[in-house]
Amino acid sequence: TAGEQDFGERPETLAAVDRAIHACRRCPIGELDNHAVMGEGPADAALMIVGEQPGDQEDLSGKPFVGPAGQLLDTHLQRAGIDRGAAYVTNTVKHFKYVMRGKRRLHQSPTAKEIDICRWWIESERALVKPKLVLALGASAARGMLGKTVSISRARGTPHPLEDGSELWITAHPSYLLRLEGDAQQEQTRLFEADLAAVRERLA
Ligand code: URA
């Protein structure tokens, strides 16, 4: 697949992926003072939700989407009638990438190269879970799923067929909504809600 690096045999279980990501040093992010965060949810989930990378709180707790972006995601999933507990929730990049600002760890976006290296893990998870639908949150997740960079505004609102017959849906990242204000926030929230509603409909 485009963009993906081949590291040989795929792990045969999610537990093996979990062990392997903790040991992964294929890119420099794994060398930082952080912990890999494994996906969470049923191993046979119909929906896989893919974020960018763990943030500070996810790194500390070891669970995906527990911080501010995760809380906003939970709110919108609930409104859309999508049960987060029934979904497999994971990230494109497995380790938190940051720079220190005083005592705070500030989020840094992964590079396309780092995403492409980490794609091996997300594709291993997807091959094991075999979701019917994948919801990619933001540009990093979209790249992780497609192996190329796409524009969210052009890619959203329509399914992208994946090679195994499943469907990829692309929307904005909830932390993008958190950074906006006023009319822009309202407009982007409306689009985000419409994307979740479309996914909800395809799941039913
Ligand atoms: N943002 C993400 O993309 N993933 C998380 O797990 C948390 C915040």
Side-chain angles (χ1 to χ4, degrees), residues 37 51-55 58 63-67 69-70 90-91 137 173 175:
V37 175
E52 181 195 66
Q53 62 170 344
E58 289 78 18
K63 289 180 183 301
F65 280 110
V66 295
T90 191
N91 279 304
L137 304 172
H173 193 287
S175 65

Side-chain angles (χ1 to χ4, degrees), residues 60-135:
L60 296 174
S61 70
K63 289 180 183 301
F65 280 110
V66 295
Q71 283 161 30
L72 187 64
L73 177 64
D74 287 352
T75 299
H76 286 296
L77 289 175
Q78 209 164 18
R79 269 186 213 163
I82 298 172
D83 178 7
R84 171 169 169 168
Y88 184 81
V89 179
T90 191
N91 279 304
T92 304
V93 166
K94 300 308 185 197
H95 285 91
F96 176 34
K97 182 178 180 184
Y98 63 88
V99 286
M100 293 306 296
R101 280 283 176 281
K103 289 185 180 156
R104 288 185 54 224
R105 299 191 295 177
L106 265 202
H107 166 275
Q108 291 244 287
S109 299
T111 63
K113 192 173 168 200
E114 288 159 348
I115 292 168
D116 292 349
I117 291 171
C118 218
R119 242 190 124 195
W120 177 254
W121 303 123
I122 192 84
E123 282 300 307
S124 297
E125 286 173 287
R126 192 166 72 79
L128 289 162
V129 176
K130 301 188 179 68
K132 180 176 154 203
L133 293 182
V134 179
L135 176 62

Side-chain angles (χ1 to χ4, degrees), residues 3-21:
E4 189 178 11
Q5 313 220 354
D6 190 348
F7 294 110
E9 299 262 312
R10 286 202 180 277
E12 286 177 14
T13 63
L14 290 173
V17 175
D18 194 0
R19 281 192 300 276
I21 61 174

